[in-house]
Amino acid sequence: MATHYGQGYGLDTRPGHPGSPGERRHRLPTALRAPVEGRTWRELGYVLLSLPISILLFTYAITMVSLGAGLLVTFLGVPVLAAALAGCRGFGAVERARARGLLGLEVAEPEPLRMKRRGFMAWIGAVLKSGASWRSLLYAVLQLPWAVFSFVVTVTVWSIGWSLLTYPLWFWLFPLYGGQGGIQLYGDEQHRIYLDNPFEITVTALVGLLFTIATPWIVRALTTVDRMAVHGLLGPSRLATRVVELESDRGVVVDTAAADLRRIERDLHDGAQARLVALAMDLGLAKEKLREDPQVAARMVDEAHGEVKTALQELRDLARGIHPAVLTDRGLDAALSAVASRCTVPVQVEVDLAERPAPAIEGIAYFTVSELLQNVSKHARATWAAVEVWRTENRLMLQVVDNGVGGADVSGGSGLAGLAERLDAVDGILVVDSPVGGPTRVTAELPWRAERTR
């Protein structure tokens, strides 16, 4: 692993990050700043545009689907229905772009059409079988009533808020011009009540201020529903997202397996194999010297015996790197204790497991702790470390803590990043908490699968 602790890790200086030199500090509180923020105006624009767009979507969807359903008695109904769904998919792309531009919502495209063969009929079948097509149709139908509701609520509270807030201004201008006494709260043939004195005007403006402050949050709550609808109906389904994740994880597993095979081949070729070849040559020379000079031959055999021990140790280390026998025979507690004994600092190991996990999960947990302890030995400059393993419901938890210099980072293509990819391939998680100066706490989470008969 190539992770370096404590080198180049300081405060995050990206713009907008807390503590960065270019951070913009606002003097007004968020509540007072919200009515004039760009985000609020973009969300308002989204709500106002939703009504005409939803009318267009609803009209298209209902018209085309009704036409297609009415023509199903003939063959023409099928392509018309497919065209209706394809049009809804196209409108869905427009809605994703609108949500991305005005709401800042990033939604991936839904799963593409899967056609086993080319041709118009194959395209019709793919459109009709696609779940994304029917979700787009459902969005087109449901968007109209919600757009009407959000439009009415938004325009009402927005107009009331700004009208009451600016009431002192237009009370000074328009009532004098029109000869009116201000806003009329009540009136009949005998009595009329106007908001025309300073106290009433001030209270009216304060009520308008409350409406104006509350309006952005009301609009934000309404657009939250829009975000959920766009994400849930116009984005990829959970199944499609899961398939993409599994395909990515499979690629990581294949790459990892290939890298391990290359490492094993390199270690065998450069280590044990080279020693065995040299050993064979030394024994051949010793055999030739046996009759001429028995003492030299004995010395050469003794040296060959030392080479045999070294080669056996290398093969033993290589086998331990593939899968240690102590892990298979005695489980994580004994295997991790053996790893801890080879660490350059004292390591306290605590394994609290009532039963053993599946061999695959157990092996990943072993190699995760092994690599983290190698980091401690090489880079942490620590004086002690601790390893804890326990089970929480259906997850296996690992934690490695050291009192080193800290500064470990999972980003930047380090060894920790590779370890995180390996864990992600089995639905695992790696969390690194390593402030500069230490201590470092690395927590790994793996899915729990109970041990079957070995």
Side-chain angles (χ1 to χ4, degrees):
M1 298 177 67
T3 306
H4 296 280
Y5 288 64
Q7 297 180 2
Y9 301 104
L11 293 176
D12 194 338
T13 58
R14 293 171 294 178
H17 189 276
S20 63
E23 181 186 6
R24 182 180 179 182
R25 299 183 182 277
H26 297 281
R27 296 183 178 180
L28 289 176
T30 304
L32 297 178
R33 198 171 65 246
V36 294
E37 279 187 329
R39 175 182 176 180
T40 300
W41 292 102
R42 288 192 297 270
E43 291 175 341
L44 176 64
Y46 183 90
V47 172
L48 297 180
L49 286 174
S50 292
L51 181 60
I53 291 177
S54 64
I55 293 174
L56 177 62
L57 277 173
F58 185 86
T59 303
Y60 172 83
I62 294 300
T63 302
M64 293 294 292
V65 171
S66 301
L67 179 62
L71 293 175
L72 281 179
V73 293
T74 67
F75 176 74
L76 293 177
V78 177
V80 170
L81 187 58
L85 295 177
C88 290
R89 288 177 67 103
F91 281 117
V94 175
E95 286 294 275
R96 287 193 300 272
R98 188 166 69 97
R100 181 168 54 251
L102 296 178
L103 299 182
L105 178 65
E106 293 291 340
V107 179
E109 295 184 1
E111 56 274 17
L113 298 177
R114 299 182 179 273
M115 295 187 295
K116 297 182 179 179
R117 61 183 185 277
R118 297 181 179 180
F120 181 66
M121 297 303 299
W123 176 81
I124 291 177
V127 172
L128 294 176
K129 293 178 181 178
S130 174
S133 302
W134 294 99
R135 291 198 304 273
S136 299
L137 173 63
L138 181 61
Y139 176 86
V141 174
L142 296 180
Q143 178 67 6
L144 178 60
W146 173 252
V148 172
F149 173 78
S150 59
F151 182 90
V152 171
V153 172
T154 299
V155 171
T156 300
V157 296
W158 195 274
S159 59
I160 289 176
W162 283 101
S163 298
L164 296 181
L165 180 63
T166 58
Y167 178 66
L169 177 63
W170 64 265
F171 171 80
W172 171 77
L173 180 62
F174 293 104
L176 292 178
Y177 176 78
Q180 301 296 327
I183 295 180
Q184 182 178 335
L185 293 182
Y186 173 77
D188 56 21
E189 295 180 356
Q190 299 178 352
H191 299 88
R192 290 174 183 169
I193 300 177
Y194 293 92
L195 298 176
D196 54 2
N197 63 64
F199 174 76
E200 295 172 344
I201 294 173
T202 302
V203 172
T204 302
L206 292 177
V207 172
L209 178 62
L210 294 179
F211 269 92
T212 304
I213 292 175
T215 298
W217 307 104
I218 296 174
V219 175
R220 195 157 299 172
L222 294 173
T223 55
T224 299
V225 179
D226 289 288
R227 288 184 174 93
M228 295 172 60
V230 172
H231 187 275
L233 296 177
L234 300 181
S237 64
R238 292 185 178 180
L239 179 60
T241 304
R242 183 59 178 162
V243 169
V244 173
E245 292 178 354
L246 291 177
E247 289 177 349
S248 175
D249 293 344
R250 182 182 61 183
V252 173
V253 170
V254 171
D255 293 341
T256 301
D260 290 339
L261 288 176
R262 288 193 299 270
R263 177 182 59 82
I264 294 171
E265 181 183 9
R266 184 179 62 252
D267 292 344
L268 285 174
H269 183 271
D270 298 340
Q273 181 179 348
R275 290 190 179 277
L276 291 176
V277 171
L279 175 62
M281 296 176 63
D282 291 342
L283 289 177
L285 293 174
K287 181 179 179 181
E288 294 179 357
K289 290 286 186 179
L290 184 60
R291 294 181 181 180
E292 300 176 3
D293 193 346
Q295 292 183 352
V296 174
R299 187 172 64 253
M300 295 177 67
V301 170
D302 186 61
E303 293 175 354
H305 183 258
E307 289 291 326
V308 169
K309 291 182 178 179
T310 304
L312 287 176
Q313 183 61 39
E314 290 182 354
L315 288 174
R316 210 174 280 119
D317 293 340
L318 182 60
R320 187 185 295 116
I322 297 173
H323 195 87
V326 65
L327 178 63
T328 303
D329 298 336
R330 300 173 58 188
L332 273 175
D333 196 354
L336 295 182
S337 298
V339 172
S341 65
R342 298 193 295 271
C343 190
T344 57
V345 300
V347 180
Q348 179 182 355
V349 179
E350 183 177 350
V351 179
D352 184 14
L353 296 177
E355 57 179 328
R356 295 179 63 176
I361 300 300
E362 195 175 54
I364 294 174
Y366 170 82
F367 287 110
T368 299
V369 174
S370 179
E371 291 194 33
L372 292 175
L373 289 181
Q374 286 182 22
N375 263 7
V376 174
S377 298
K378 295 179 180 179
H379 310 295
R381 300 204 295 273
T383 58
W384 64 267
V387 176
E388 295 184 33
V389 181
W390 72 97
R391 178 186 175 184
T392 301
E393 295 181 354
N394 61 340
R395 308 294 285 183
L396 177 63
M397 308 296 296
L398 316 171
Q399 191 171 87
V400 178
V401 184
D402 68 76
N403 65 340
V405 296
D409 190 0
V410 75
S411 62
S414 65
L416 286 176
L419 188 59
E421 290 181 355
R422 292 192 180 193
L423 294 179
D424 184 65
V426 293
D427 289 338
I429 301 173
L430 185 72
V431 179
V432 179
D433 179 17
S434 181
V436 176
T440 295
R441 184 183 304 272
V442 182
T443 305
E445 183 178 329
L446 291 167
W448 174 272
R449 290 199 297 271
E451 177 192 28
R452 298 180 181 179
T453 303
R454 289 178 179 259

